[in-house]
Amino acid sequence: MEKRSEKLLKLLNELNVDGIFLTDLYNLRYFAGFTGTTGVALATKKGNFFYSDFRYRSQAEAQVSKMGFEFKEVSRGSLKYVGEHAEELGLKKIGFEDNNVTFATYQKLKEIFKAELVPVGEKIMYERMVKSDEEILMIKKAIEISDIAFSEALKVIKEGVSERELSAYMEYVQKKNGAEDKSFNTILASGVRSAMPHGVASDKKIQKEEFITMDFGAYYNGYVSDMTRTVYYGNNITERHKEIYNLVLEAQILGINTIKEGMMSDDVDKVVRNFLTEKGYGEYFGHGLGHGIGVEIHELPYLSSVSHIELKENMVVTSEPGLYFDGWGGVRIEDDVVVKKDGREVLNKSNKKLIIIEA
């Protein structure tokens, strides 16, 4: 864990600043070990400090001291003391998380810090991309929990069960098996709704002869899993359903097999996009191929045209192509994948071959 304060020191030097002010809860969890919801931190060359109110004193003291931060108690919502402390430390240039800070908070920071504010941009996110073995173990555990939830969900799919009921059951199974929480709102979309890539569970009831897409995940010890499976419910599957499913599966495996150290993140996306385009389905694949996961459900690097990052060993990314047809339905399949020097390791164990649940 101590390596993380080294990462902060490296950032201080790279950005040429005297301090970095942390407000984002994911960064606070990652760098300072804090799992509560109220607190801010200041990383400096003279030491690292975490500020929160009396409600978090014992929790924060225990958590942040392990990560090399000193706990400072402040009154609730008070940033004034942080400003005064920064002045005492003689900080002239302070980095702030411009991607996470609201304009109102920025105005407040300008008020409290008698220092030049320097945006840290995505640099701080780069520090979270390569995972330690310990982090990968947490992600694996989260994935094991989601794999269980998927196999349990298959047993309760039947006509008349609502998407919301099914998603609640999956979230319950995850918690029962050790998850702190779901890692995002479960996407459960059946029938024509499966054409919606982000079709969060609705009151729609499962019907015969339709696809059911389940995109869900668990938080375990601060780390996420993210998986998608699409199954067919009914007795009369059409050739079109089979064709679309198997095409997405082929694309998903191609995505996985393209992942390895040294590949550029946008090139992995391009390989799969070109494959689906050649098959005549490029226009029905409207989102990026995947993204990094860690303490947050969407992290760098993104396997998409918007992110040009070289893949490195121990990054964890998803491969999740999908094809969506309005008024008909869609298919998405997703696994979490660790980048290796000479290839990759797929962490999900759930079956990916077309599952047909008979009505």
Side-chain angles (χ1 to χ4, degrees):
M1 288 295 188
E2 280 314 301
K3 271 208 183 112
R4 297 198 186 164
S5 44
E6 283 168 30
K7 286 182 174 187
L8 287 169
L9 200 55
K10 184 180 135 210
L11 265 180
L12 287 165
N13 290 324
E14 248 175 55
L15 295 160
N16 192 23
V17 291
D18 309 311
I20 296 173
F21 185 56
L22 300 174
T23 52
D24 176 65
L25 289 175
Y26 294 110
N27 283 334
L28 288 169
R29 181 151 195 170
Y30 182 82
F31 290 105
F34 179 63
T35 61
T37 53
T38 308
V40 294
L42 195 55
T44 79
K45 290 174 184 174
K46 299 177 180 179
N48 299 324
F49 307 93
F50 181 85
Y51 314 85
S52 189
D53 60 74
F54 79 98
R55 295 169 304 157
Y56 284 108
R57 188 195 297 131
S58 55
Q59 175 190 342
E61 270 183 340
Q63 290 178 335
V64 306
S65 59
K66 280 189 203 137
M67 303 294 278
F69 279 75
E70 187 186 324
F71 177 75
K72 300 257 182 205
E73 191 179 316
V74 293
S75 58
R76 193 169 174 179
S78 164
L79 287 174
K80 198 163 77 70
Y81 174 78
V82 185
E84 287 164 7
H85 189 209
E87 209 178 342
E88 273 168 40
L89 293 166
L91 309 183
K92 300 273 182 281
K93 286 168 95 176
I94 297 173
F96 74 100
E97 303 154 316
D98 51 311
N99 288 343
N100 307 90
V101 164
T102 62
F103 185 67
T105 306
Y106 175 67
Q107 296 288 70
K108 205 162 187 184
L109 297 186
K110 278 196 350 193
E111 224 172 273
I112 63 157
F113 288 126
K114 293 175 175 54
E116 184 192 335
L117 291 176
V118 178
V120 299
E122 290 189 328
K123 280 209 160 79
I124 199 158
M125 308 307 288
Y126 287 150
E127 296 304 322
R128 285 173 21 193
M129 288 195 299
V130 173
K131 309 296 187 263
S132 67
D133 292 344
E134 187 188 359
E135 289 180 281
I136 289 170
L137 276 178
M138 300 303 170
I139 292 169
K140 276 184 175 169
K141 183 66 189 161
I143 291 167
E144 278 170 26
I145 291 168
S146 295
D147 276 335
I148 294 168
F150 175 65
S151 60
E152 289 302 309
L154 295 180
K155 299 173 188 171
V156 298
I157 289 172
K158 61 175 190 289
E159 201 171 6
V161 172
S162 75
E163 293 175 348
R164 202 167 273 147
E165 247 178 292
L166 191 52
S167 77
Y169 179 67
M170 291 168 83
E171 287 163 17
Y172 159 74
V173 172
Q174 289 192 139
K175 281 194 170 172
K176 196 171 167 226
N177 283 280
E180 289 164 50
D181 204 349
K182 57 184 184 290
S183 51
F184 57 95
N185 284 335
T186 300
I187 292 167
L188 212 142
S190 59
V192 291
R193 289 190 78 255
S194 61
M196 298 160 66
H198 278 191
V200 172
S202 74
D203 290 330
K204 179 191 173 296
K205 298 205 175 348
I206 304 287
Q207 290 157 353
K208 286 181 193 163
E209 314 312 333
E210 58 183 22
F211 273 139
I212 305 165
T213 297
M214 299 168 250
D215 183 349
F216 62 102
Y219 256 113
Y220 179 78
N221 216 353
Y223 285 85
V224 306
S225 59
D226 184 8
M227 67 179 279
T228 309
R229 290 293 183 269
T230 302
V231 301
Y232 186 85
Y233 176 70
N235 308 321
N236 302 301
I237 189 164
T238 68
E239 285 311 308
R240 187 183 182 197
H241 281 92
K242 287 185 200 168
E243 183 203 340
I244 297 300
Y245 186 92
N246 289 322
L247 189 58
V248 172
L249 180 58
E250 208 180 324
Q252 199 260 351
I253 292 167
L254 174 64
I256 288 169
N257 292 339
T258 309
I259 292 166
K260 64 168 194 249
E261 184 165 82
M263 274 301 281
M264 297 310 288
S265 56
D266 50 344
D267 286 342
V268 185
D269 174 89
K270 214 174 282 169
V271 167
V272 176
R273 204 162 293 283
N274 289 347
F275 166 76
L276 288 171
T277 302
E278 278 161 26
K279 298 280 185 187
Y281 286 104
E283 66 185 288
Y284 302 102
F285 175 33
H287 54 74
L289 176 70
H291 54 86
I293 61 168
V295 289
E296 217 170 337
I297 193 66
H298 292 120
E299 295 195 349
L300 290 173
Y302 286 91
L303 303 186
S304 82
S305 58
V306 302
S307 167
H308 185 66
I309 292 173
E310 188 180 337
L311 298 186
K312 292 201 161 63
E313 185 177 25
N314 280 12
M315 287 181 176
V316 184
V317 295
T318 68
S319 173
E320 50 174 311
L323 293 176
Y324 312 94
F325 306 88
D326 284 342
W328 183 79
V331 175
R332 182 167 65 260
I333 304 166
E334 171 186 28
D335 286 321
D336 302 328
V337 183
V338 183
V339 178
K340 297 285 191 189
K341 275 229 182 313
D342 49 359
R344 80 292 308 156
E345 180 192 354
V346 180
L347 299 180
N348 305 72
K349 302 287 182 267
S350 293
N351 178 25
K352 283 191 290 199
K353 289 199 177 77
L354 176 57
I355 293 173
I356 299 170
I357 298 165
E358 292 192 354

